[in-house]
Amino acid sequence: MQRTTATDLVVVGAGTAGLPAAIEAAAHGLKVTVIEKADRVGGTLWRSWAQLSAGGTSLQRAKGIRDSPDLHFDDVMRISRNTADPELVRLAVDHAPATVEWLLAQGFDMHPDAPAVLHFHEPYLLPRTYWGRNAGRSVLEVLVPAFEKACGGSVTLELGAELTAFRTAERGRVAGVTIRDADGAFRDVDAAAVILTSGGYAGNPELFPRLTSGAPLAGPASPGAEGSGILAAVAAGGRVRGQERFLPTYGGVLRPGSTWETVGLDDYPALTPQSRAPWEIHVNARGERFVAEDAPSVDDRENALLAQPELKFWVVYDAAIRRSAPALFPTWDDADLDRAFQGGHPSFAVAGDLATLAQAAGIDPGGLAATVAAYNAAVASGRDAFGRACLPAPIAEPPFYAVLNHGTTLKSPAGLAVDGRLRVLGPDGPFENLWAAGEVIGGSTLSGKSFVSGMSVTPALGFGRMLGRRAAGASTEPGSM
Ligand SMILES: Cc1cc2nc3c(=O)[nH]c(=O)nc-3n(C[C@H](O)[C@H](O)[C@H](O)COP(=O)(O)OP(=O)(O)OC[C@H]3O[C@@H](n4cnc5c(N)ncnc54)[C@H](O)[C@@H]3O)c2cc1C
C-alpha cells in the first residue's frame, strides 16, 4: 500500500531555484520536504557558468557605473527584440540587485573583473554581468552550507526521489505530489503548497524537439534536465509555451560517442570574434559560408545558423592557420588536437586536399572547393561578399582541417506558463498553491528568442527566494499572495 507523508511545502528539485526556495521557506518557519531525483543537490550549477546580471548594485556604484532595474529592463527587451515576457522580466530585474547583494552578503567569491560587458551573448550596453571565480560552483559554495544548515532544522531532503505526478485537489489547487523514492516505492506527499523547480529539458534529446518546434538538441546541459517536472505539470492541466522561441548558441563540439551531448562549455572552440578574431571559415553541409565569421553581433550569427541544415557547420582551415593563429581550442594542447584529428574524434577531419576533406567530414565537395576559392580571392582583394573584415590568410596549405560544430542549447526555451505571481496556469486559471521558478518556466520567458546574459541564473535564485517567502506568507513584495 502506498504510504502518505505530510508537510507544509514541497520543493521539487534542489538546484539553482530550489535550494534558495527551501532555505527561505525554512527561515520563515515552514516545514519543507525537498524532492531531488539526483544523488546530490546543486542541479545545473555544477555545469553552469552562472553569470548573473543586475542593474543598480553596490559593485556597480563602487566602479562609478550608473545603472538601474529600469535600464536593465530596457536592455533585456532590446536584446530580445521584445520577445521576452515583459511582466516577468520586470519582476526579475527588480529583484536582481537584491539577489546579487544577498550572494555578496553570504561571502560569494565574486570575480574581481565583475561587473563587465561580456560578448559570449549579445552584450548589454553597460557593465552588468557578474560571475564567481569558480563559476556555478561559487554559487553552490554559498547555497549548500545554508541548505545543509536548514536540513538540520525543518527541511527534509529526499535524494534519489522523483516527482512522478501532482495530486490535484479541488479546482485550482494541488493537494501535494506523488513521488518515487530512492527505494523505488511510490508515495504521496500531502502539502499545503508546492514549488516546482525541476529545471528544463535541455538534457533530453527525445523530448527536446517535441517541445521546441522540431529543433535538434546538442548541448552540455545537466543530465537531470529531463523535463519530467514539466510533463507532470502538463498532466495536471498545465500548459507549455515558448516552443517557437528557440535560438541556438553559436557552436560547440559533440563528445565522442554521443549524438547530442557536447563537451563542456569551457572546452568549446573560441568563436567569439571579440575574444579571438577568426582565421577560419564556417561552412554548412553544402560547403557554403552563411555569415561573416567576425560579425560582431552574436545574435546575427546565431540567427544565420538557425537557417542552416540540422544547425550544423564546419570550421575549416589549413596548416598555415593552425600554425599561426591563436588556438581555436584554447583548453586543448597540440597533442589533444592531433589525437582528435587522427581518428580520436568523429567531429574532426583532416586531409591532404579539400575534396578528400569534404568527403571525410560530410560536406559537399564541389561547394567547399568553390567557397574556399572565393574566400581566397577575398583575402587577396580585401573584399569579402559577407562583409568580413578579418581576412588574415588564405586557406591553401595542406593538410586541411574541418571541425563539425553544432547550434547548441544551454537552456531549454519552452516551459510552463505561469502568471505574474509565478503560479502555474491550469485550464481554469492559475493553481493557487503551485508555483514554478527556474528553467521549468522556459528559458525564453526571460530572454525571449535570444540570449541575455545572466537572465537564467539570477531570476532562478531571485524567484526561488521570493517563492520560499511567499509560501510562508511572509513576502512583502507587491503582488504577492
Ligand atoms: C553549461 C551551461 C552554462 C550556463 N551558463 C549560464 C550563465 O552563465 N548564466 C545564466 O543565467 N544561465 C546559464 N545557464 C543556464 C542556467 O544555469 C540554468 O537555466 C539554471 O541553472 C537552471 O536552474 P533550475 O533551478 O531551473 O534547474 P537546475 O539547477 O537544473 O535544478 C533542477 C533540479 O531538479 C531536479 N529534478 C528534475 N526533475 C525532477 C523530478 N521529476 N523530481 C525531482 N527532482 C527533479 C534535477 O535533478 C535538478 O537537481 C547555463 C547552462 C549550462 C548548461
Side-chain angles (χ1 to χ4, degrees), residues 190-225:
D190 288 342
V194 178
I195 301 178
L196 180 62
T197 49
S198 53
Y201 57 94
N204 186 335
E206 282 80 39
L207 185 60
F208 193 84
R210 273 171 50 204
L211 293 188
T212 321
S213 306
L217 175 65
S222 168

PDB file of all heavy atoms in Angstrom, residues 190-225:
ATOM      1  N   ASP A 190       1.454  14.884   1.088  1.00  0.00           N
ATOM      2  CA  ASP A 190       0.458  15.952   1.213  1.00  0.00           C
ATOM      3  C   ASP A 190       1.193  17.248   1.518  1.00  0.00           C
ATOM      4  O   ASP A 190       2.121  17.260   2.334  1.00  0.00           O
ATOM      5  CB  ASP A 190      -0.497  15.676   2.385  1.00  0.00           C
ATOM      6  CG  ASP A 190      -1.453  14.524   2.069  1.00  0.00           C
ATOM      7  OD1 ASP A 190      -1.598  14.203   0.874  1.00  0.00           O
ATOM      8  OD2 ASP A 190      -2.024  13.968   3.020  1.00  0.00           O
ATOM      9  N   ALA A 191       0.768  18.339   0.900  1.00  0.00           N
ATOM     10  CA  ALA A 191       1.433  19.608   1.167  1.00  0.00           C
ATOM     11  C   ALA A 191       0.441  20.746   0.966  1.00  0.00           C
ATOM     12  O   ALA A 191      -0.429  20.684   0.103  1.00  0.00           O
ATOM     13  CB  ALA A 191       2.622  19.792   0.224  1.00  0.00           C
ATOM     14  N   ALA A 192       0.621  21.795   1.776  1.00  0.00           N
ATOM     15  CA  ALA A 192      -0.217  22.988   1.602  1.00  0.00           C
ATOM     16  C   ALA A 192       0.165  23.722   0.328  1.00  0.00           C
ATOM     17  O   ALA A 192      -0.667  24.416  -0.276  1.00  0.00           O
ATOM     18  CB  ALA A 192      -0.063  23.908   2.809  1.00  0.00           C
ATOM     19  N   ALA A 193       1.405  23.592  -0.078  1.00  0.00           N
ATOM     20  CA  ALA A 193       1.859  24.275  -1.301  1.00  0.00           C
ATOM     21  C   ALA A 193       3.025  23.511  -1.909  1.00  0.00           C
ATOM     22  O   ALA A 193       3.717  22.744  -1.220  1.00  0.00           O
ATOM     23  CB  ALA A 193       2.289  25.701  -0.979  1.00  0.00           C
ATOM     24  N   VAL A 194       3.219  23.717  -3.211  1.00  0.00           N
ATOM     25  CA  VAL A 194       4.325  23.074  -3.926  1.00  0.00           C
ATOM     26  C   VAL A 194       5.042  24.137  -4.755  1.00  0.00           C
ATOM     27  O   VAL A 194       4.390  24.959  -5.425  1.00  0.00           O
ATOM     28  CB  VAL A 194       3.818  21.955  -4.871  1.00  0.00           C
ATOM     29  CG1 VAL A 194       4.976  21.340  -5.647  1.00  0.00           C
ATOM     30  CG2 VAL A 194       3.068  20.875  -4.094  1.00  0.00           C
ATOM     31  N   ILE A 195       6.372  24.131  -4.683  1.00  0.00           N
ATOM     32  CA  ILE A 195       7.180  24.969  -5.583  1.00  0.00           C
ATOM     33  C   ILE A 195       7.918  24.028  -6.530  1.00  0.00           C
ATOM     34  O   ILE A 195       8.674  23.154  -6.086  1.00  0.00           O
ATOM     35  CB  ILE A 195       8.179  25.849  -4.799  1.00  0.00           C
ATOM     36  CG1 ILE A 195       7.440  26.774  -3.815  1.00  0.00           C
ATOM     37  CG2 ILE A 195       9.021  26.672  -5.773  1.00  0.00           C
ATOM     38  CD1 ILE A 195       8.373  27.647  -2.974  1.00  0.00           C
ATOM     39  N   LEU A 196       7.683  24.216  -7.824  1.00  0.00           N
ATOM     40  CA  LEU A 196       8.288  23.345  -8.831  1.00  0.00           C
ATOM     41  C   LEU A 196       9.543  24.025  -9.377  1.00  0.00           C
ATOM     42  O   LEU A 196       9.468  25.071 -10.027  1.00  0.00           O
ATOM     43  CB  LEU A 196       7.284  23.083  -9.957  1.00  0.00           C
ATOM     44  CG  LEU A 196       7.777  22.180 -11.098  1.00  0.00           C
ATOM     45  CD1 LEU A 196       8.111  20.780 -10.593  1.00  0.00           C
ATOM     46  CD2 LEU A 196       6.734  22.099 -12.202  1.00  0.00           C
ATOM     47  N   THR A 197      10.677  23.433  -9.078  1.00  0.00           N
ATOM     48  CA  THR A 197      11.967  23.985  -9.525  1.00  0.00           C
ATOM     49  C   THR A 197      12.795  22.846 -10.123  1.00  0.00           C
ATOM     50  O   THR A 197      13.954  22.668  -9.783  1.00  0.00           O
ATOM     51  CB  THR A 197      12.718  24.637  -8.341  1.00  0.00           C
ATOM     52  OG1 THR A 197      12.722  23.694  -7.242  1.00  0.00           O
ATOM     53  CG2 THR A 197      12.069  25.926  -7.895  1.00  0.00           C
ATOM     54  N   SER A 198      12.165  22.084 -11.003  1.00  0.00           N
ATOM     55  CA  SER A 198      12.792  20.859 -11.519  1.00  0.00           C
ATOM     56  C   SER A 198      13.613  21.095 -12.787  1.00  0.00           C
ATOM     57  O   SER A 198      14.064  20.148 -13.408  1.00  0.00           O
ATOM     58  CB  SER A 198      11.719  19.800 -11.775  1.00  0.00           C
ATOM     59  OG  SER A 198      10.709  20.330 -12.595  1.00  0.00           O
ATOM     60  N   GLY A 199      13.796  22.359 -13.184  1.00  0.00           N
ATOM     61  CA  GLY A 199      14.685  22.657 -14.309  1.00  0.00           C
ATOM     62  C   GLY A 199      14.038  22.398 -15.669  1.00  0.00           C
ATOM     63  O   GLY A 199      12.842  22.122 -15.779  1.00  0.00           O
ATOM     64  N   GLY A 200      14.862  22.494 -16.696  1.00  0.00           N
ATOM     65  CA  GLY A 200      14.373  22.404 -18.067  1.00  0.00           C
ATOM     66  C   GLY A 200      14.500  21.011 -18.646  1.00  0.00           C
ATOM     67  O   GLY A 200      14.548  20.009 -17.916  1.00  0.00           O
ATOM     68  N   TYR A 201      14.552  20.961 -19.996  1.00  0.00           N
ATOM     69  CA  TYR A 201      14.578  19.667 -20.692  1.00  0.00           C
ATOM     70  C   TYR A 201      15.737  19.609 -21.685  1.00  0.00           C
ATOM     71  O   TYR A 201      15.709  18.804 -22.619  1.00  0.00           O
ATOM     72  CB  TYR A 201      13.227  19.426 -21.389  1.00  0.00           C
ATOM     73  CG  TYR A 201      12.851  20.524 -22.374  1.00  0.00           C
ATOM     74  CD1 TYR A 201      13.162  20.420 -23.727  1.00  0.00           C
ATOM     75  CD2 TYR A 201      12.226  21.680 -21.937  1.00  0.00           C
ATOM     76  CE1 TYR A 201      12.849  21.421 -24.627  1.00  0.00           C
ATOM     77  CE2 TYR A 201      11.905  22.704 -22.826  1.00  0.00           C
ATOM     78  CZ  TYR A 201      12.211  22.560 -24.156  1.00  0.00           C
ATOM     79  OH  TYR A 201      11.915  23.576 -25.036  1.00  0.00           O
ATOM     80  N   ALA A 202      16.772  20.453 -21.474  1.00  0.00           N
ATOM     81  CA  ALA A 202      17.893  20.502 -22.421  1.00  0.00           C
ATOM     82  C   ALA A 202      18.855  19.336 -22.253  1.00  0.00           C
ATOM     83  O   ALA A 202      19.888  19.273 -22.918  1.00  0.00           O
ATOM     84  CB  ALA A 202      18.635  21.828 -22.285  1.00  0.00           C
ATOM     85  N   GLY A 203      18.509  18.377 -21.390  1.00  0.00           N
ATOM     86  CA  GLY A 203      19.290  17.152 -21.275  1.00  0.00           C
ATOM     87  C   GLY A 203      18.506  15.951 -21.777  1.00  0.00           C
ATOM     88  O   GLY A 203      18.851  14.815 -21.461  1.00  0.00           O
ATOM     89  N   ASN A 204      17.448  16.208 -22.547  1.00  0.00           N
ATOM     90  CA  ASN A 204      16.569  15.122 -23.009  1.00  0.00           C
ATOM     91  C   ASN A 204      16.387  15.210 -24.523  1.00  0.00           C
ATOM     92  O   ASN A 204      15.533  15.938 -25.024  1.00  0.00           O
ATOM     93  CB  ASN A 204      15.211  15.240 -22.299  1.00  0.00           C
ATOM     94  CG  ASN A 204      14.297  14.070 -22.612  1.00  0.00           C
ATOM     95  OD1 ASN A 204      14.433  13.419 -23.649  1.00  0.00           O
ATOM     96  ND2 ASN A 204      13.366  13.805 -21.721  1.00  0.00           N
ATOM     97  N   PRO A 205      17.227  14.461 -25.290  1.00  0.00           N
ATOM     98  CA  PRO A 205      17.207  14.604 -26.745  1.00  0.00           C
ATOM     99  C   PRO A 205      15.911  14.144 -27.409  1.00  0.00           C
ATOM    100  O   PRO A 205      15.629  14.547 -28.537  1.00  0.00           O
ATOM    101  CB  PRO A 205      18.392  13.747 -27.206  1.00  0.00           C
ATOM    102  CG  PRO A 205      18.705  12.834 -26.089  1.00  0.00           C
ATOM    103  CD  PRO A 205      18.251  13.514 -24.826  1.00  0.00           C
ATOM    104  N   GLU A 206      15.111  13.282 -26.722  1.00  0.00           N
ATOM    105  CA  GLU A 206      13.823  12.879 -27.321  1.00  0.00           C
ATOM    106  C   GLU A 206      12.780  13.964 -27.108  1.00  0.00           C
ATOM    107  O   GLU A 206      12.037  14.332 -28.021  1.00  0.00           O
ATOM    108  CB  GLU A 206      13.308  11.562 -26.689  1.00  0.00           C
ATOM    109  CG  GLU A 206      13.991  10.323 -27.217  1.00  0.00           C
ATOM    110  CD  GLU A 206      15.350  10.120 -26.559  1.00  0.00           C
ATOM    111  OE1 GLU A 206      15.464  10.365 -25.333  1.00  0.00           O
ATOM    112  OE2 GLU A 206      16.314   9.758 -27.266  1.00  0.00           O
ATOM    113  N   LEU A 207      12.738  14.491 -25.891  1.00  0.00           N
ATOM    114  CA  LEU A 207      11.707  15.487 -25.575  1.00  0.00           C
ATOM    115  C   LEU A 207      12.006  16.838 -26.238  1.00  0.00           C
ATOM    116  O   LEU A 207      11.085  17.577 -26.602  1.00  0.00           O
ATOM    117  CB  LEU A 207      11.626  15.666 -24.048  1.00  0.00           C
ATOM    118  CG  LEU A 207      10.533  16.583 -23.509  1.00  0.00           C
ATOM    119  CD1 LEU A 207       9.150  16.062 -23.923  1.00  0.00           C
ATOM    120  CD2 LEU A 207      10.621  16.693 -21.984  1.00  0.00           C
ATOM    121  N   PHE A 208      13.306  17.135 -26.418  1.00  0.00           N
ATOM    122  CA  PHE A 208      13.675  18.473 -26.879  1.00  0.00           C
ATOM    123  C   PHE A 208      12.965  18.889 -28.179  1.00  0.00           C
ATOM    124  O   PHE A 208      12.311  19.930 -28.216  1.00  0.00           O
ATOM    125  CB  PHE A 208      15.200  18.592 -27.016  1.00  0.00           C
ATOM    126  CG  PHE A 208      15.652  20.008 -27.189  1.00  0.00           C
ATOM    127  CD1 PHE A 208      15.843  20.827 -26.094  1.00  0.00           C
ATOM    128  CD2 PHE A 208      15.842  20.546 -28.457  1.00  0.00           C
ATOM    129  CE1 PHE A 208      16.217  22.155 -26.246  1.00  0.00           C
ATOM    130  CE2 PHE A 208      16.219  21.859 -28.621  1.00  0.00           C
ATOM    131  CZ  PHE A 208      16.412  22.670 -27.511  1.00  0.00           C
ATOM    132  N   PRO A 209      13.039  18.088 -29.249  1.00  0.00           N
ATOM    133  CA  PRO A 209      12.340  18.524 -30.473  1.00  0.00           C
ATOM    134  C   PRO A 209      10.827  18.610 -30.290  1.00  0.00           C
ATOM    135  O   PRO A 209      10.178  19.473 -30.879  1.00  0.00           O
ATOM    136  CB  PRO A 209      12.708  17.463 -31.511  1.00  0.00           C
ATOM    137  CG  PRO A 209      13.603  16.481 -30.861  1.00  0.00           C
ATOM    138  CD  PRO A 209      13.787  16.851 -29.434  1.00  0.00           C
ATOM    139  N   ARG A 210      10.279  17.737 -29.431  1.00  0.00           N
ATOM    140  CA  ARG A 210       8.819  17.775 -29.219  1.00  0.00           C
ATOM    141  C   ARG A 210       8.384  19.094 -28.608  1.00  0.00           C
ATOM    142  O   ARG A 210       7.312  19.609 -28.916  1.00  0.00           O
ATOM    143  CB  ARG A 210       8.401  16.628 -28.286  1.00  0.00           C
ATOM    144  CG  ARG A 210       8.138  15.332 -29.029  1.00  0.00           C
ATOM    145  CD  ARG A 210       7.939  14.154 -28.086  1.00  0.00           C
ATOM    146  NE  ARG A 210       6.989  14.385 -27.014  1.00  0.00           N
ATOM    147  CZ  ARG A 210       7.000  13.729 -25.859  1.00  0.00           C
ATOM    148  NH1 ARG A 210       7.897  12.807 -25.639  1.00  0.00           N
ATOM    149  NH2 ARG A 210       6.100  13.990 -24.942  1.00  0.00           N
ATOM    150  N   LEU A 211       9.192  19.633 -27.727  1.00  0.00           N
ATOM    151  CA  LEU A 211       8.801  20.879 -27.050  1.00  0.00           C
ATOM    152  C   LEU A 211       9.412  22.106 -27.705  1.00  0.00           C
ATOM    153  O   LEU A 211       9.221  23.222 -27.228  1.00  0.00           O
ATOM    154  CB  LEU A 211       9.217  20.838 -25.568  1.00  0.00           C
ATOM    155  CG  LEU A 211       8.501  19.833 -24.665  1.00  0.00           C
ATOM    156  CD1 LEU A 211       8.879  20.056 -23.210  1.00  0.00           C
ATOM    157  CD2 LEU A 211       6.995  19.916 -24.825  1.00  0.00           C
ATOM    158  N   THR A 212      10.170  21.924 -28.796  1.00  0.00           N
ATOM    159  CA  THR A 212      10.907  23.049 -29.369  1.00  0.00           C
ATOM    160  C   THR A 212      10.728  23.095 -30.881  1.00  0.00           C
ATOM    161  O   THR A 212      11.706  23.296 -31.620  1.00  0.00           O
ATOM    162  CB  THR A 212      12.409  22.958 -28.983  1.00  0.00           C
ATOM    163  OG1 THR A 212      12.507  22.508 -27.629  1.00  0.00           O
ATOM    164  CG2 THR A 212      13.115  24.295 -29.064  1.00  0.00           C
ATOM    165  N   SER A 213       9.499  22.898 -31.338  1.00  0.00           N
ATOM    166  CA  SER A 213       9.158  23.011 -32.761  1.00  0.00           C
ATOM    167  C   SER A 213      10.113  22.225 -33.650  1.00  0.00           C
ATOM    168  O   SER A 213      10.518  22.695 -34.715  1.00  0.00           O
ATOM    169  CB  SER A 213       9.149  24.483 -33.198  1.00  0.00           C
ATOM    170  OG  SER A 213       8.315  25.244 -32.378  1.00  0.00           O
ATOM    171  N   GLY A 214      10.540  21.043 -33.195  1.00  0.00           N
ATOM    172  CA  GLY A 214      11.341  20.157 -34.030  1.00  0.00           C
ATOM    173  C   GLY A 214      12.834  20.397 -34.001  1.00  0.00           C
ATOM    174  O   GLY A 214      13.592  19.682 -34.657  1.00  0.00           O
ATOM    175  N   ALA A 215      13.311  21.386 -33.256  1.00  0.00           N
ATOM    176  CA  ALA A 215      14.757  21.694 -33.260  1.00  0.00           C
ATOM    177  C   ALA A 215      15.548  20.525 -32.672  1.00  0.00           C
ATOM    178  O   ALA A 215      15.121  19.911 -31.695  1.00  0.00           O
ATOM    179  CB  ALA A 215      15.026  22.956 -32.453  1.00  0.00           C
ATOM    180  N   PRO A 216      16.720  20.208 -33.289  1.00  0.00           N
ATOM    181  CA  PRO A 216      17.534  19.126 -32.734  1.00  0.00           C
ATOM    182  C   PRO A 216      18.299  19.612 -31.498  1.00  0.00           C
ATOM    183  O   PRO A 216      18.643  20.786 -31.391  1.00  0.00           O
ATOM    184  CB  PRO A 216      18.512  18.811 -33.866  1.00  0.00           C
ATOM    185  CG  PRO A 216      18.643  20.090 -34.639  1.00  0.00           C
ATOM    186  CD  PRO A 216      17.330  20.821 -34.490  1.00  0.00           C
ATOM    187  N   LEU A 217      18.575  18.676 -30.588  1.00  0.00           N
ATOM    188  CA  LEU A 217      19.324  19.044 -29.377  1.00  0.00           C
ATOM    189  C   LEU A 217      20.794  18.693 -29.523  1.00  0.00           C
ATOM    190  O   LEU A 217      21.157  17.585 -29.905  1.00  0.00           O
ATOM    191  CB  LEU A 217      18.755  18.294 -28.161  1.00  0.00           C
ATOM    192  CG  LEU A 217      19.537  18.501 -26.852  1.00  0.00           C
ATOM    193  CD1 LEU A 217      19.466  19.953 -26.389  1.00  0.00           C
ATOM    194  CD2 LEU A 217      19.020  17.574 -25.751  1.00  0.00           C
ATOM    195  N   ALA A 218      21.643  19.666 -29.220  1.00  0.00           N
ATOM    196  CA  ALA A 218      23.060  19.410 -28.956  1.00  0.00           C
ATOM    197  C   ALA A 218      23.431  20.362 -27.838  1.00  0.00           C
ATOM    198  O   ALA A 218      23.090  21.541 -27.904  1.00  0.00           O
ATOM    199  CB  ALA A 218      23.914  19.680 -30.189  1.00  0.00           C
ATOM    200  N   GLY A 219      24.077  19.880 -26.807  1.00  0.00           N
ATOM    201  CA  GLY A 219      24.399  20.804 -25.725  1.00  0.00           C
ATOM    202  C   GLY A 219      25.042  20.139 -24.536  1.00  0.00           C
ATOM    203  O   GLY A 219      25.157  18.909 -24.489  1.00  0.00           O
ATOM    204  N   PRO A 220      25.447  20.957 -23.564  1.00  0.00           N
ATOM    205  CA  PRO A 220      26.140  20.439 -22.390  1.00  0.00           C
ATOM    206  C   PRO A 220      25.279  20.423 -21.136  1.00  0.00           C
ATOM    207  O   PRO A 220      25.794  20.503 -20.024  1.00  0.00           O
ATOM    208  CB  PRO A 220      27.262  21.473 -22.220  1.00  0.00           C
ATOM    209  CG  PRO A 220      26.606  22.772 -22.613  1.00  0.00           C
ATOM    210  CD  PRO A 220      25.550  22.424 -23.651  1.00  0.00           C
ATOM    211  N   ALA A 221      23.932  20.341 -21.315  1.00  0.00           N
ATOM    212  CA  ALA A 221      23.066  20.509 -20.137  1.00  0.00           C
ATOM    213  C   ALA A 221      23.243  19.367 -19.150  1.00  0.00           C
ATOM    214  O   ALA A 221      23.723  18.283 -19.484  1.00  0.00           O
ATOM    215  CB  ALA A 221      21.613  20.594 -20.573  1.00  0.00           C
ATOM    216  N   SER A 222      22.808  19.643 -17.956  1.00  0.00           N
ATOM    217  CA  SER A 222      22.865  18.679 -16.878  1.00  0.00           C
ATOM    218  C   SER A 222      21.994  17.465 -17.210  1.00  0.00           C
ATOM    219  O   SER A 222      20.896  17.612 -17.758  1.00  0.00           O
ATOM    220  CB  SER A 222      22.337  19.405 -15.643  1.00  0.00           C
ATOM    221  OG  SER A 222      22.094  18.556 -14.618  1.00  0.00           O
ATOM    222  N   PRO A 223      22.449  16.239 -16.894  1.00  0.00           N
ATOM    223  CA  PRO A 223      21.623  15.067 -17.202  1.00  0.00           C
ATOM    224  C   PRO A 223      20.282  15.101 -16.463  1.00  0.00           C
ATOM    225  O   PRO A 223      19.313  14.481 -16.879  1.00  0.00           O
ATOM    226  CB  PRO A 223      22.484  13.884 -16.746  1.00  0.00           C
ATOM    227  CG  PRO A 223      23.614  14.451 -15.965  1.00  0.00           C
ATOM    228  CD  PRO A 223      23.740  15.892 -16.301  1.00  0.00           C
ATOM    229  N   GLY A 224      20.203  15.864 -15.375  1.00  0.00           N
ATOM    230  CA  GLY A 224      18.930  15.979 -14.636  1.00  0.00           C
ATOM    231  C   GLY A 224      17.887  16.786 -15.373  1.00  0.00           C
ATOM    232  O   GLY A 224      16.707  16.767 -15.008  1.00  0.00           O
ATOM    233  N   ALA A 225      18.301  17.495 -16.431  1.00  0.00           N
ATOM    234  CA  ALA A 225      17.359  18.366 -17.142  1.00  0.00           C
ATOM    235  C   ALA A 225      16.557  17.541 -18.139  1.00  0.00           C
ATOM    236  O   ALA A 225      16.705  17.658 -19.350  1.00  0.00           O
ATOM    237  CB  ALA A 225      18.122  19.495 -17.843  1.00  0.00           C
TER     238      ALA A 225
END
